[in-house]
Amino acid sequence: MRLESRVAIVTGAGGGLGRAHARLLARYGAKVVVNDMDQAAAARVAGEIVAAGGEAIPVAASVTDEAAVATMIGGVMSNWGRVDILINNAGILRDKTFAKMSLTDFRLVLDVHLMGAVICTKAVWEIMRQQQYGRVVMTTSSSGLYGNFGQSNYGAAKLALVGLMQTLGLEGEKHNIRVNCLAPTAATQMTHGVLAEEALQCLDPKLVSPGLLALVAEQAPNRAILCAGAGHFARANITLTKGVQVGGDADAGEQVIAQWEQIGDRTDELVPAYGFKQAERELAAAGYVAPTMAER
């Protein structure tokens, strides 16, 4: 797979995962915008790419600053005329139990992870629509998918990115814009102090980045969640069980409790193609056949 004709933006690319992503995309031929809050860090990574024979420009900008992001995208368009790939990687941690966490720290993490991805994606969305091509990757986390003690703010932001991916993937599909999520486990500035040192040695960010290629390729999937770490790759899905039709009788609540195990039985569970699929099935179980998304 080659990316010679592609222009990629990687946020938070001054070190860790972002640096590994940027270097890998450049190695496959993409022109790379190395974005980071730290100008020196961004310049260092861009320099590494250029020294290896690639093309890269460093841009210091906060993903939460709409004006700075707009300026960055304007510069990319002036230099290279297109944006094909956006890797929303920038993030921070402010870990504490929910009882001890301030609302300021909760909002800050959501602002960087969620709104930062929204601002950057919005800035390139019309460009990708017009050129009828785009690959967007959100960085989610097992903390969002499954929860982690002391990470309510981070987990909420990371699962919100999955919801954003699901809808943008549907809206962008007809314009050949594919939106996916990467859930990495890697030894970065954000994980030091969280994992033991010997575990960190197994979690080189370079072992995550190969999964990125599948999400930005010509034949990339759409609305996939790829989990990656230590050279291991897996898919995560948000599923819906077959469930039970209880109805609306006076004892419906007691019936839900009594049939809890059957309601949760994962036999024949499905991955809905869109959110309204739940309502379609619920109405069908109640005896009313609703028009599908394709029919509306």
Side-chain angles (χ1 to χ4, degrees), residues 60-261:
S62 169
V63 294
T64 64
D65 185 334
E66 293 177 50
V69 170
T71 298
M72 174 174 70
I73 302 306
V76 175
M77 293 300 290
S78 295
N79 276 297
W80 289 328
R82 59 188 296 119
V83 178
D84 301 287
I85 298 166
L86 171 64
I87 312 300
N88 287 306
N89 172 74
I92 60 170
L93 287 179
R94 293 293 186 274
D95 290 357
K96 281 186 180 176
T97 63
F98 190 62
K100 296 179 180 179
M101 183 179 296
S102 70
L103 290 178
T104 298
D105 276 350
F106 204 104
R107 287 192 182 100
L108 179 61
V109 168
L110 261 69
D111 198 32
V112 174
H113 288 272
L114 176 57
M115 289 309 301
V118 170
I119 289 167
C120 291
T121 305
K122 181 68 171 174
V124 303
W125 194 252
E126 189 57 32
I127 294 168
M128 291 180 172
R129 278 167 45 95
Q130 290 295 324
Q131 67 193 21
Q132 289 291 296
Y133 188 93
R135 300 292 183 264
V136 179
V137 178
M138 309 293 182
T139 305
T140 186
S141 170
S142 57
S143 297
L145 297 170
Y146 311 112
N148 261 340
F149 190 91
Q151 292 192 313
S152 58
N153 50 3
Y154 182 74
K158 287 307 193 184
L159 192 55
L161 286 167
V162 175
L164 179 63
M165 171 204 74
Q166 298 282 22
T167 294
L168 293 187
L170 288 170
E171 292 181 2
E173 195 165 25
K174 66 181 178 182
H175 303 288
N176 193 22
I177 303 172
R178 301 178 190 177
V179 188
N180 295 286
C181 276
L182 181 66
T185 306
T188 68
Q189 196 172 30
M190 291 207 306
T191 54
H192 280 286
V194 177
L195 295 170
E197 189 59 37
E198 58 188 44
L200 292 173
Q201 292 175 8
C202 299
L203 296 172
D204 191 314
K206 291 187 293 187
L207 299 177
V208 169
S209 295
L212 195 68
L213 285 181
L215 304 182
V216 303
E218 294 278 342
Q219 301 303 318
N222 196 25
R223 302 168 61 211
I225 305 170
L226 180 65
C227 303
H232 183 271
F233 300 90
R235 290 277 304 275
N237 290 287
I238 297 176
T239 64
L240 190 64
T241 65
K242 188 175 182 180
V244 174
Q245 176 64 16
V246 169
D249 293 341
D251 67 343
E254 287 85 350
Q255 286 296 316
V256 172
I257 294 170
Q259 300 187 67
W260 187 254
E261 292 301 319

Side-chain angles (χ1 to χ4, degrees), residues 41-56:
R44 185 166 53 250
V45 174
E48 292 170 355
I49 290 171
V50 171
E55 291 187 66

